[in-house]
Amino acid sequence: GESVGLHLPTLSVQEGDNSIINCAYSNSASDYFIWYKQESGKGPQFIIDIRSNMDKRQGQRVTVLLNKTVKHLSLQIAATQPGDSAVYFCAENIPGTYKYIFGTGTRLKVLA
Amino acid sequence: GAVVSQHPSRVICKSGTSVKIECRSLDFQATTMFWYRQFPKQSLMLMATSNEGSKATYEQGVEKDKFLINHASLTLSTLTVTSAHPEDSSFYICSAKEGAGGVPQHFGDGTRLSIL
């Protein structure tokens, strides 16, 4: 289930199930979006990106969906594994710059 | 590919000390690097954009005299926290971007700064 902590929402899923992590972005003009995975004590690791002219992109075990109408981004992880446990951040590229705005993040906990 | 190395990974020092953090792109040239600060259980907050050969651009509320940034080459940017105090304790993370357009930033593994 999903719960909201003091700062970081947490999603708990059973190993082998699919995970869906959601993100609302702020700027309707943003044209590039990225998902990152951050493990404890490390920097964010690139997972997958998508441009605004697409609404879906698939990688290995991951799919990103973009809904520009409601400014919503989701990351789907198939067959979630213990190694997927981490904090996941979405980021949107600020139009006209190379700067990112990061979402608040979601902690994914994979239960054995 | 696209490896970013950040050094040191952890620093513990006394109040009043200046601390330099290095960020290197190991296998690509980065015309633009970014410095972020992250508090526990929170998201990344952009501090400044570092451009090779020019002055860094700081975000609103970030003191440029406190956080000195130098981007002397296409593979190296440094962040110096001057006269650090306990409130400067945080996780500092750099990222680097190769080329223009919609390519992702690649991040270093961060520096945990603890000021006593």
mmCIF file of all heavy atoms in Angstrom, chain A residues 7-8 32 34 36 38 41-46 49 51 89 93-94 98-100 102-105 107, chain B residues 32 34 36 38 41-44 46 49 59 91 93 97 100-110:
data_model
loop_
_atom_site.group_PDB
_atom_site.id
_atom_site.type_symbol
_atom_site.label_atom_id
_atom_site.label_comp_id
_atom_site.label_asym_id
_atom_site.label_seq_id
_atom_site.Cartn_x
_atom_site.Cartn_y
_atom_site.Cartn_z
ATOM 1 N N HIS A 7 8.063 13.446 5.015
ATOM 2 C CA HIS A 7 8.460 14.133 3.804
ATOM 3 C C HIS A 7 8.350 13.243 2.572
ATOM 4 O O HIS A 7 8.182 13.768 1.476
ATOM 5 C CB HIS A 7 9.911 14.603 3.930
ATOM 6 C CG HIS A 7 10.104 15.673 4.951
ATOM 7 N ND1 HIS A 7 9.567 16.932 4.821
ATOM 8 C CD2 HIS A 7 10.761 15.675 6.127
ATOM 9 C CE1 HIS A 7 9.905 17.654 5.875
ATOM 10 N NE2 HIS A 7 10.626 16.923 6.680
ATOM 11 N N LEU A 8 8.485 11.939 2.732
ATOM 12 C CA LEU A 8 8.642 11.043 1.610
ATOM 13 C C LEU A 8 7.545 9.984 1.595
ATOM 14 O O LEU A 8 7.472 9.149 2.483
ATOM 15 C CB LEU A 8 10.002 10.356 1.745
ATOM 16 C CG LEU A 8 10.722 9.942 0.488
ATOM 17 C CD1 LEU A 8 10.968 11.118 -0.414
ATOM 18 C CD2 LEU A 8 12.045 9.292 0.859
ATOM 19 N N TYR A 32 10.685 17.644 -21.442
ATOM 20 C CA TYR A 32 11.569 16.495 -21.262
ATOM 21 C C TYR A 32 11.486 16.069 -19.816
ATOM 22 O O TYR A 32 11.578 16.910 -18.904
ATOM 23 C CB TYR A 32 12.995 16.899 -21.650
ATOM 24 C CG TYR A 32 14.047 15.832 -21.499
ATOM 25 C CD1 TYR A 32 13.974 14.634 -22.200
ATOM 26 C CD2 TYR A 32 15.129 16.035 -20.665
ATOM 27 C CE1 TYR A 32 14.946 13.656 -22.058
ATOM 28 C CE2 TYR A 32 16.115 15.070 -20.524
ATOM 29 C CZ TYR A 32 16.018 13.888 -21.219
ATOM 30 O OH TYR A 32 16.984 12.926 -21.087
ATOM 31 N N ILE A 34 12.460 12.893 -16.794
ATOM 32 C CA ILE A 34 13.405 11.835 -16.474
ATOM 33 C C ILE A 34 13.019 11.188 -15.145
ATOM 34 O O ILE A 34 12.554 11.866 -14.228
ATOM 35 C CB ILE A 34 14.846 12.407 -16.330
ATOM 36 C CG1 ILE A 34 15.196 13.362 -17.459
ATOM 37 C CG2 ILE A 34 15.873 11.269 -16.264
ATOM 38 C CD1 ILE A 34 14.916 14.822 -17.155
ATOM 39 N N TYR A 36 14.697 8.987 -12.005
ATOM 40 C CA TYR A 36 15.946 8.590 -11.374
ATOM 41 C C TYR A 36 15.653 7.685 -10.177
ATOM 42 O O TYR A 36 14.623 7.822 -9.510
ATOM 43 C CB TYR A 36 16.725 9.812 -10.862
ATOM 44 C CG TYR A 36 17.373 10.646 -11.932
ATOM 45 C CD1 TYR A 36 16.730 11.766 -12.463
ATOM 46 C CD2 TYR A 36 18.643 10.330 -12.415
ATOM 47 C CE1 TYR A 36 17.335 12.545 -13.437
ATOM 48 C CE2 TYR A 36 19.254 11.101 -13.394
ATOM 49 C CZ TYR A 36 18.591 12.205 -13.899
ATOM 50 O OH TYR A 36 19.192 12.971 -14.870
ATOM 51 N N GLN A 38 17.424 6.526 -6.543
ATOM 52 C CA GLN A 38 18.481 6.892 -5.607
ATOM 53 C C GLN A 38 18.515 5.899 -4.455
ATOM 54 O O GLN A 38 17.549 5.786 -3.690
ATOM 55 C CB GLN A 38 18.294 8.318 -5.067
ATOM 56 C CG GLN A 38 19.464 8.768 -4.209
ATOM 57 C CD GLN A 38 19.314 10.194 -3.704
ATOM 58 O OE1 GLN A 38 18.204 10.699 -3.537
ATOM 59 N NE2 GLN A 38 20.437 10.863 -3.463
ATOM 60 N N GLY A 41 22.599 6.900 0.436
ATOM 61 C CA GLY A 41 23.987 7.350 0.444
ATOM 62 C C GLY A 41 24.625 7.502 -0.910
ATOM 63 O O GLY A 41 25.836 7.724 -1.003
ATOM 64 N N LYS A 42 23.817 7.398 -1.970
ATOM 65 C CA LYS A 42 24.359 7.514 -3.321
ATOM 66 C C LYS A 42 23.654 8.614 -4.097
ATOM 67 O O LYS A 42 22.635 9.143 -3.668
ATOM 68 C CB LYS A 42 24.211 6.188 -4.062
ATOM 69 C CG LYS A 42 25.049 5.063 -3.477
ATOM 70 C CD LYS A 42 25.034 3.860 -4.392
ATOM 71 C CE LYS A 42 25.972 2.777 -3.889
ATOM 72 N NZ LYS A 42 26.015 1.610 -4.815
ATOM 73 N N GLY A 43 24.209 8.927 -5.244
ATOM 74 C CA GLY A 43 23.571 9.906 -6.109
ATOM 75 C C GLY A 43 22.483 9.253 -6.953
ATOM 76 O O GLY A 43 22.409 8.032 -7.060
ATOM 77 N N PRO A 44 21.623 10.054 -7.547
ATOM 78 C CA PRO A 44 20.562 9.519 -8.402
ATOM 79 C C PRO A 44 21.125 8.813 -9.628
ATOM 80 O O PRO A 44 22.100 9.266 -10.226
ATOM 81 C CB PRO A 44 19.775 10.770 -8.804
ATOM 82 C CG PRO A 44 20.095 11.795 -7.768
ATOM 83 C CD PRO A 44 21.509 11.516 -7.378
ATOM 84 N N GLN A 45 20.484 7.733 -9.989
ATOM 85 C CA GLN A 45 20.895 6.933 -11.138
ATOM 86 C C GLN A 45 19.811 7.021 -12.202
ATOM 87 O O GLN A 45 18.631 6.787 -11.916
ATOM 88 C CB GLN A 45 21.094 5.488 -10.688
ATOM 89 C CG GLN A 45 21.418 4.501 -11.786
ATOM 90 C CD GLN A 45 21.438 3.067 -11.274
ATOM 91 O OE1 GLN A 45 21.224 2.817 -10.100
ATOM 92 N NE2 GLN A 45 21.682 2.133 -12.161
ATOM 93 N N PHE A 46 20.191 7.357 -13.420
ATOM 94 C CA PHE A 46 19.245 7.487 -14.519
ATOM 95 C C PHE A 46 18.543 6.162 -14.798
ATOM 96 O O PHE A 46 19.179 5.109 -14.856
ATOM 97 C CB PHE A 46 19.983 7.960 -15.771
ATOM 98 C CG PHE A 46 19.164 7.911 -17.027
ATOM 99 C CD1 PHE A 46 18.232 8.890 -17.306
ATOM 100 C CD2 PHE A 46 19.327 6.878 -17.937
ATOM 101 C CE1 PHE A 46 17.479 8.848 -18.465
ATOM 102 C CE2 PHE A 46 18.579 6.820 -19.107
ATOM 103 C CZ PHE A 46 17.654 7.808 -19.363
ATOM 104 N N ASP A 49 13.936 8.128 -19.692
ATOM 105 C CA ASP A 49 13.458 9.482 -19.968
ATOM 106 C C ASP A 49 12.389 9.435 -21.053
ATOM 107 O O ASP A 49 12.179 8.420 -21.719
ATOM 108 C CB ASP A 49 14.609 10.411 -20.368
ATOM 109 C CG ASP A 49 15.402 9.910 -21.586
ATOM 110 O OD1 ASP A 49 15.041 8.862 -22.161
ATOM 111 O OD2 ASP A 49 16.401 10.571 -21.948
ATOM 112 N N ARG A 51 10.306 12.321 -23.907
ATOM 113 C CA ARG A 51 10.068 13.666 -24.398
ATOM 114 C C ARG A 51 8.571 13.912 -24.508
ATOM 115 O O ARG A 51 7.776 12.980 -24.579
ATOM 116 C CB ARG A 51 10.763 13.850 -25.748
ATOM 117 C CG ARG A 51 12.260 13.930 -25.604
ATOM 118 C CD ARG A 51 13.006 13.918 -26.918
ATOM 119 N NE ARG A 51 14.434 14.135 -26.744
ATOM 120 C CZ ARG A 51 15.281 13.270 -26.217
ATOM 121 N NH1 ARG A 51 14.858 12.106 -25.792
ATOM 122 N NH2 ARG A 51 16.554 13.570 -26.086
ATOM 123 N N PHE A 89 12.765 9.433 -8.030
ATOM 124 C CA PHE A 89 12.437 10.834 -8.296
ATOM 125 C C PHE A 89 12.104 11.022 -9.761
ATOM 126 O O PHE A 89 12.802 10.502 -10.634
ATOM 127 C CB PHE A 89 13.623 11.750 -7.975
ATOM 128 C CG PHE A 89 13.962 11.852 -6.526
ATOM 129 C CD1 PHE A 89 15.007 11.102 -5.990
ATOM 130 C CD2 PHE A 89 13.278 12.715 -5.694
ATOM 131 C CE1 PHE A 89 15.345 11.204 -4.652
ATOM 132 C CE2 PHE A 89 13.611 12.821 -4.349
ATOM 133 C CZ PHE A 89 14.639 12.058 -3.832
ATOM 134 N N ASN A 93 12.459 18.990 -17.122
ATOM 135 C CA ASN A 93 13.406 19.971 -17.618
ATOM 136 C C ASN A 93 12.709 21.323 -17.741
ATOM 137 O O ASN A 93 11.645 21.425 -18.375
ATOM 138 C CB ASN A 93 13.930 19.524 -18.981
ATOM 139 C CG ASN A 93 15.093 20.364 -19.441
ATOM 140 O OD1 ASN A 93 16.235 20.047 -19.154
ATOM 141 N ND2 ASN A 93 14.813 21.447 -20.150
ATOM 142 N N ILE A 94 13.276 22.340 -17.141
ATOM 143 C CA ILE A 94 12.701 23.678 -17.237
ATOM 144 C C ILE A 94 12.885 24.183 -18.658
ATOM 145 O O ILE A 94 14.011 24.236 -19.157
ATOM 146 C CB ILE A 94 13.373 24.630 -16.236
ATOM 147 C CG1 ILE A 94 13.194 24.116 -14.802
ATOM 148 C CG2 ILE A 94 12.802 26.038 -16.376
ATOM 149 C CD1 ILE A 94 13.965 24.914 -13.771
ATOM 150 N N TYR A 98 18.721 24.010 -19.132
ATOM 151 C CA TYR A 98 19.096 22.617 -18.908
ATOM 152 C C TYR A 98 18.815 22.209 -17.459
ATOM 153 O O TYR A 98 19.232 21.153 -17.019
ATOM 154 C CB TYR A 98 20.577 22.403 -19.232
ATOM 155 C CG TYR A 98 20.919 22.625 -20.679
ATOM 156 C CD1 TYR A 98 22.113 23.236 -21.036
ATOM 157 C CD2 TYR A 98 20.057 22.238 -21.687
ATOM 158 C CE1 TYR A 98 22.424 23.440 -22.373
ATOM 159 C CE2 TYR A 98 20.364 22.445 -23.015
ATOM 160 C CZ TYR A 98 21.554 23.048 -23.357
ATOM 161 O OH TYR A 98 21.869 23.256 -24.673
ATOM 162 N N LYS A 99 18.119 23.045 -16.734
ATOM 163 C CA LYS A 99 17.886 22.792 -15.318
ATOM 164 C C LYS A 99 16.681 21.894 -15.113
ATOM 165 O O LYS A 99 15.724 21.912 -15.883
ATOM 166 C CB LYS A 99 17.674 24.121 -14.584
ATOM 167 C CG LYS A 99 18.861 25.060 -14.675
ATOM 168 C CD LYS A 99 18.767 26.206 -13.692
ATOM 169 C CE LYS A 99 17.671 27.168 -14.049
ATOM 170 N NZ LYS A 99 17.709 28.355 -13.158
ATOM 171 N N TYR A 100 16.741 21.138 -14.025
ATOM 172 C CA TYR A 100 15.653 20.239 -13.678
ATOM 173 C C TYR A 100 14.931 20.705 -12.418
ATOM 174 O O TYR A 100 15.538 21.246 -11.505
ATOM 175 C CB TYR A 100 16.167 18.827 -13.373
ATOM 176 C CG TYR A 100 16.735 18.063 -14.547
ATOM 177 C CD1 TYR A 100 17.407 16.869 -14.336
ATOM 178 C CD2 TYR A 100 16.621 18.511 -15.851
ATOM 179 C CE1 TYR A 100 17.936 16.148 -15.388
ATOM 180 C CE2 TYR A 100 17.153 17.805 -16.917
ATOM 181 C CZ TYR A 100 17.809 16.622 -16.676
ATOM 182 O OH TYR A 100 18.348 15.904 -17.720
ATOM 183 N N PHE A 102 13.004 18.690 -9.522
ATOM 184 C CA PHE A 102 12.784 17.332 -9.053
ATOM 185 C C PHE A 102 11.485 17.238 -8.272
ATOM 186 O O PHE A 102 11.105 18.151 -7.535
ATOM 187 C CB PHE A 102 13.940 16.882 -8.153
ATOM 188 C CG PHE A 102 15.119 16.380 -8.927
ATOM 189 C CD1 PHE A 102 16.046 17.260 -9.461
ATOM 190 C CD2 PHE A 102 15.292 15.028 -9.146
ATOM 191 C CE1 PHE A 102 17.122 16.799 -10.196
ATOM 192 C CE2 PHE A 102 16.365 14.547 -9.873
ATOM 193 C CZ PHE A 102 17.283 15.439 -10.407
ATOM 194 N N GLY A 103 10.805 16.117 -8.415
ATOM 195 C CA GLY A 103 9.637 15.830 -7.594
ATOM 196 C C GLY A 103 10.053 15.500 -6.182
ATOM 197 O O GLY A 103 11.241 15.408 -5.860
ATOM 198 N N THR A 104 9.063 15.283 -5.340
ATOM 199 C CA THR A 104 9.333 15.061 -3.918
ATOM 200 C C THR A 104 9.921 13.681 -3.643
ATOM 201 O O THR A 104 10.529 13.461 -2.609
ATOM 202 C CB THR A 104 8.058 15.211 -3.086
ATOM 203 O OG1 THR A 104 7.053 14.349 -3.629
ATOM 204 C CG2 THR A 104 7.562 16.648 -3.107
ATOM 205 N N GLY A 105 9.755 12.750 -4.575
ATOM 206 C CA GLY A 105 10.314 11.412 -4.402
ATOM 207 C C GLY A 105 9.346 10.445 -3.769
ATOM 208 O O GLY A 105 8.454 10.830 -2.996
ATOM 209 N N ARG A 107 9.536 6.523 -1.872
ATOM 210 C CA ARG A 107 10.361 5.397 -1.431
ATOM 211 C C ARG A 107 9.650 4.107 -1.789
ATOM 212 O O ARG A 107 8.482 3.912 -1.437
ATOM 213 C CB ARG A 107 10.600 5.446 0.081
ATOM 214 C CG ARG A 107 11.456 4.285 0.592
ATOM 215 C CD ARG A 107 11.742 4.394 2.073
ATOM 216 N NE ARG A 107 12.437 5.618 2.424
ATOM 217 C CZ ARG A 107 13.739 5.824 2.252
ATOM 218 N NH1 ARG A 107 14.495 4.859 1.739
ATOM 219 N NH2 ARG A 107 14.280 6.973 2.591
ATOM 220 N N THR B 32 28.234 21.722 -19.128
ATOM 221 C CA THR B 32 27.420 22.203 -18.020
ATOM 222 C C THR B 32 27.396 21.181 -16.896
ATOM 223 O O THR B 32 27.163 19.994 -17.134
ATOM 224 C CB THR B 32 25.967 22.470 -18.475
ATOM 225 O OG1 THR B 32 25.987 23.319 -19.623
ATOM 226 C CG2 THR B 32 25.175 23.151 -17.370
ATOM 227 N N PHE B 34 26.038 20.773 -12.643
ATOM 228 C CA PHE B 34 25.076 21.316 -11.695
ATOM 229 C C PHE B 34 25.454 20.870 -10.286
ATOM 230 O O PHE B 34 25.954 19.766 -10.077
ATOM 231 C CB PHE B 34 23.662 20.810 -12.020
ATOM 232 C CG PHE B 34 23.205 21.118 -13.412
ATOM 233 C CD1 PHE B 34 23.512 20.257 -14.459
ATOM 234 C CD2 PHE B 34 22.482 22.261 -13.692
ATOM 235 C CE1 PHE B 34 23.110 20.520 -15.748
ATOM 236 C CE2 PHE B 34 22.062 22.536 -14.982
ATOM 237 C CZ PHE B 34 22.384 21.671 -16.017
ATOM 238 N N TYR B 36 23.787 20.349 -6.463
ATOM 239 C CA TYR B 36 22.550 20.209 -5.712
ATOM 240 C C TYR B 36 22.867 20.004 -4.237
ATOM 241 O O TYR B 36 23.943 19.528 -3.859
ATOM 242 C CB TYR B 36 21.757 18.983 -6.202
ATOM 243 C CG TYR B 36 21.234 19.052 -7.609
ATOM 244 C CD1 TYR B 36 22.055 18.718 -8.686
ATOM 245 C CD2 TYR B 36 19.916 19.406 -7.872
ATOM 246 C CE1 TYR B 36 21.568 18.750 -9.992
ATOM 247 C CE2 TYR B 36 19.420 19.433 -9.171
ATOM 248 C CZ TYR B 36 20.255 19.106 -10.221
ATOM 249 O OH TYR B 36 19.763 19.134 -11.505
ATOM 250 N N GLN B 38 20.916 18.197 -0.807
ATOM 251 C CA GLN B 38 19.810 17.328 -0.433
ATOM 252 C C GLN B 38 19.795 17.120 1.072
ATOM 253 O O GLN B 38 20.783 16.643 1.645
ATOM 254 C CB GLN B 38 19.921 15.982 -1.155
ATOM 255 C CG GLN B 38 18.719 15.071 -0.938
ATOM 256 C CD GLN B 38 18.831 13.768 -1.723
ATOM 257 O OE1 GLN B 38 19.913 13.253 -1.933
ATOM 258 N NE2 GLN B 38 17.691 13.245 -2.159
ATOM 259 N N LYS B 41 15.689 12.696 3.605
ATOM 260 C CA LYS B 41 14.331 12.367 3.222
ATOM 261 C C LYS B 41 13.669 13.468 2.392
ATOM 262 O O LYS B 41 12.442 13.576 2.367
ATOM 263 C CB LYS B 41 13.476 12.056 4.456
ATOM 264 C CG LYS B 41 13.955 10.838 5.226
ATOM 265 C CD LYS B 41 13.020 10.491 6.365
ATOM 266 C CE LYS B 41 13.528 9.260 7.104
ATOM 267 N NZ LYS B 41 12.629 8.881 8.211
ATOM 268 N N GLN B 42 14.476 14.251 1.738
ATOM 269 C CA GLN B 42 13.926 15.295 0.887
ATOM 270 C C GLN B 42 14.483 15.181 -0.531
ATOM 271 O O GLN B 42 15.364 14.373 -0.812
ATOM 272 C CB GLN B 42 14.228 16.675 1.473
ATOM 273 C CG GLN B 42 13.513 16.938 2.783
ATOM 274 C CD GLN B 42 13.600 18.386 3.197
ATOM 275 O OE1 GLN B 42 13.684 19.290 2.368
ATOM 276 N NE2 GLN B 42 13.562 18.623 4.495
ATOM 277 N N SER B 43 13.943 16.002 -1.387
ATOM 278 C CA SER B 43 14.346 15.961 -2.779
ATOM 279 C C SER B 43 15.621 16.767 -2.992
ATOM 280 O O SER B 43 16.169 17.366 -2.067
ATOM 281 C CB SER B 43 13.212 16.518 -3.639
ATOM 282 O OG SER B 43 13.479 16.302 -5.003
ATOM 283 N N LEU B 44 16.092 16.758 -4.215
ATOM 284 C CA LEU B 44 17.283 17.513 -4.568
ATOM 285 C C LEU B 44 16.909 18.970 -4.839
ATOM 286 O O LEU B 44 15.924 19.252 -5.529
ATOM 287 C CB LEU B 44 17.939 16.940 -5.831
ATOM 288 C CG LEU B 44 18.743 15.654 -5.673
ATOM 289 C CD1 LEU B 44 17.840 14.449 -5.512
ATOM 290 C CD2 LEU B 44 19.679 15.467 -6.862
ATOM 291 N N LEU B 46 18.391 22.404 -6.466
ATOM 292 C CA LEU B 46 19.457 22.945 -7.303
ATOM 293 C C LEU B 46 20.045 24.180 -6.638
ATOM 294 O O LEU B 46 19.319 25.090 -6.244
ATOM 295 C CB LEU B 46 18.910 23.309 -8.687
ATOM 296 C CG LEU B 46 19.908 23.912 -9.673
ATOM 297 C CD1 LEU B 46 20.997 22.897 -10.030
ATOM 298 C CD2 LEU B 46 19.195 24.392 -10.933
ATOM 299 N N THR B 49 24.254 26.378 -11.424
ATOM 300 C CA THR B 49 24.642 25.795 -12.698
ATOM 301 C C THR B 49 26.045 26.273 -13.010
ATOM 302 O O THR B 49 26.325 27.480 -12.967
ATOM 303 C CB THR B 49 23.674 26.235 -13.802
ATOM 304 O OG1 THR B 49 22.351 25.849 -13.446
ATOM 305 C CG2 THR B 49 24.049 25.611 -15.139
ATOM 306 N N GLU B 59 21.060 29.802 -7.954
ATOM 307 C CA GLU B 59 19.620 29.870 -7.735
ATOM 308 C C GLU B 59 19.316 30.883 -6.634
ATOM 309 O O GLU B 59 20.174 31.220 -5.796
ATOM 310 C CB GLU B 59 19.072 28.494 -7.358
ATOM 311 C CG GLU B 59 19.216 27.468 -8.470
ATOM 312 C CD GLU B 59 18.502 27.871 -9.741
ATOM 313 O OE1 GLU B 59 17.261 28.084 -9.698
ATOM 314 O OE2 GLU B 59 19.177 27.980 -10.779
ATOM 315 N N PHE B 91 24.063 16.817 2.265
ATOM 316 C CA PHE B 91 24.538 15.937 1.200
ATOM 317 C C PHE B 91 24.588 16.783 -0.068
ATOM 318 O O PHE B 91 23.555 17.310 -0.501
ATOM 319 C CB PHE B 91 23.563 14.760 1.059
ATOM 320 C CG PHE B 91 24.052 13.605 0.230
ATOM 321 C CD1 PHE B 91 25.292 13.033 0.482
ATOM 322 C CD2 PHE B 91 23.276 13.068 -0.777
ATOM 323 C CE1 PHE B 91 25.754 11.954 -0.266
ATOM 324 C CE2 PHE B 91 23.717 11.982 -1.526
ATOM 325 C CZ PHE B 91 24.953 11.429 -1.269
ATOM 326 N N ILE B 93 25.473 17.035 -4.072
ATOM 327 C CA ILE B 93 25.553 16.145 -5.228
ATOM 328 C C ILE B 93 25.782 16.982 -6.479
ATOM 329 O O ILE B 93 25.139 18.022 -6.662
ATOM 330 C CB ILE B 93 24.254 15.339 -5.431
ATOM 331 C CG1 ILE B 93 23.778 14.708 -4.119
ATOM 332 C CG2 ILE B 93 24.458 14.248 -6.485
ATOM 333 C CD1 ILE B 93 22.422 14.039 -4.231
ATOM 334 N N LYS B 97 26.225 17.205 -17.681
ATOM 335 C CA LYS B 97 25.407 16.999 -18.885
ATOM 336 C C LYS B 97 26.321 17.066 -20.092
ATOM 337 O O LYS B 97 27.121 17.993 -20.225
ATOM 338 C CB LYS B 97 24.355 18.098 -18.945
ATOM 339 C CG LYS B 97 23.450 18.054 -20.149
ATOM 340 C CD LYS B 97 22.444 19.189 -20.061
ATOM 341 C CE LYS B 97 21.710 19.336 -21.382
ATOM 342 N NZ LYS B 97 20.911 18.142 -21.695
ATOM 343 N N ALA B 100 24.135 19.380 -25.847
ATOM 344 C CA ALA B 100 22.919 20.176 -25.735
ATOM 345 C C ALA B 100 21.700 19.277 -25.881
ATOM 346 O O ALA B 100 21.799 18.084 -26.148
ATOM 347 C CB ALA B 100 22.916 21.249 -26.818
ATOM 348 N N GLY B 101 20.540 19.896 -25.707
ATOM 349 C CA GLY B 101 19.315 19.173 -25.970
ATOM 350 C C GLY B 101 18.878 18.220 -24.887
ATOM 351 O O GLY B 101 19.400 18.235 -23.783
ATOM 352 N N GLY B 102 17.931 17.380 -25.228
ATOM 353 C CA GLY B 102 17.308 16.502 -24.247
ATOM 354 C C GLY B 102 18.093 15.243 -23.956
ATOM 355 O O GLY B 102 17.728 14.143 -24.374
ATOM 356 N N VAL B 103 19.176 15.415 -23.251
ATOM 357 C CA VAL B 103 19.906 14.256 -22.752
ATOM 358 C C VAL B 103 19.961 14.382 -21.244
ATOM 359 O O VAL B 103 19.969 15.481 -20.707
ATOM 360 C CB VAL B 103 21.329 14.163 -23.351
ATOM 361 C CG1 VAL B 103 21.250 13.891 -24.833
ATOM 362 C CG2 VAL B 103 22.127 15.421 -23.068
ATOM 363 N N PRO B 104 19.968 13.257 -20.546
ATOM 364 C CA PRO B 104 19.860 13.347 -19.091
ATOM 365 C C PRO B 104 21.142 13.833 -18.423
ATOM 366 O O PRO B 104 22.238 13.649 -18.942
ATOM 367 C CB PRO B 104 19.571 11.902 -18.677
ATOM 368 C CG PRO B 104 20.158 11.071 -19.761
ATOM 369 C CD PRO B 104 20.000 11.869 -21.020
ATOM 370 N N GLN B 105 20.965 14.444 -17.272
ATOM 371 C CA GLN B 105 22.088 14.729 -16.397
ATOM 372 C C GLN B 105 22.502 13.416 -15.738
ATOM 373 O O GLN B 105 21.664 12.590 -15.393
ATOM 374 C CB GLN B 105 21.686 15.729 -15.310
ATOM 375 C CG GLN B 105 21.315 17.100 -15.828
ATOM 376 C CD GLN B 105 20.850 18.013 -14.709
ATOM 377 O OE1 GLN B 105 21.136 17.798 -13.528
ATOM 378 N NE2 GLN B 105 20.123 19.061 -15.073
ATOM 379 N N HIS B 106 23.801 13.262 -15.561
ATOM 380 C CA HIS B 106 24.332 12.095 -14.865
ATOM 381 C C HIS B 106 24.964 12.561 -13.563
ATOM 382 O O HIS B 106 25.689 13.561 -13.542
ATOM 383 C CB HIS B 106 25.333 11.354 -15.744
ATOM 384 C CG HIS B 106 24.700 10.749 -16.954
ATOM 385 N ND1 HIS B 106 24.003 9.559 -16.909
ATOM 386 C CD2 HIS B 106 24.606 11.187 -18.229
ATOM 387 C CE1 HIS B 106 23.521 9.285 -18.106
ATOM 388 N NE2 HIS B 106 23.875 10.257 -18.928
ATOM 389 N N PHE B 107 24.686 11.846 -12.512
ATOM 390 C CA PHE B 107 25.028 12.304 -11.176
ATOM 391 C C PHE B 107 26.221 11.574 -10.575
ATOM 392 O O PHE B 107 26.446 10.385 -10.837
ATOM 393 C CB PHE B 107 23.827 12.113 -10.237
ATOM 394 C CG PHE B 107 22.730 13.104 -10.474
ATOM 395 C CD1 PHE B 107 21.816 12.917 -11.493
ATOM 396 C CD2 PHE B 107 22.628 14.241 -9.676
ATOM 397 C CE1 PHE B 107 20.812 13.849 -11.725
ATOM 398 C CE2 PHE B 107 21.628 15.168 -9.900
ATOM 399 C CZ PHE B 107 20.721 14.975 -10.923
ATOM 400 N N GLY B 108 26.958 12.325 -9.759
ATOM 401 C CA GLY B 108 27.970 11.703 -8.922
ATOM 402 C C GLY B 108 27.302 11.065 -7.712
ATOM 403 O O GLY B 108 26.080 11.150 -7.530
ATOM 404 N N ASP B 109 28.116 10.441 -6.871
ATOM 405 C CA ASP B 109 27.578 9.737 -5.713
ATOM 406 C C ASP B 109 27.473 10.597 -4.458
ATOM 407 O O ASP B 109 27.213 10.087 -3.372
ATOM 408 C CB ASP B 109 28.390 8.471 -5.431
ATOM 409 C CG ASP B 109 27.806 7.257 -6.129
ATOM 410 O OD1 ASP B 109 26.625 7.328 -6.551
ATOM 411 O OD2 ASP B 109 28.513 6.243 -6.269
ATOM 412 N N GLY B 110 27.699 11.885 -4.616
ATOM 413 C CA GLY B 110 27.448 12.795 -3.509
ATOM 414 C C GLY B 110 28.577 12.905 -2.516
ATOM 415 O O GLY B 110 29.465 12.036 -2.436
#
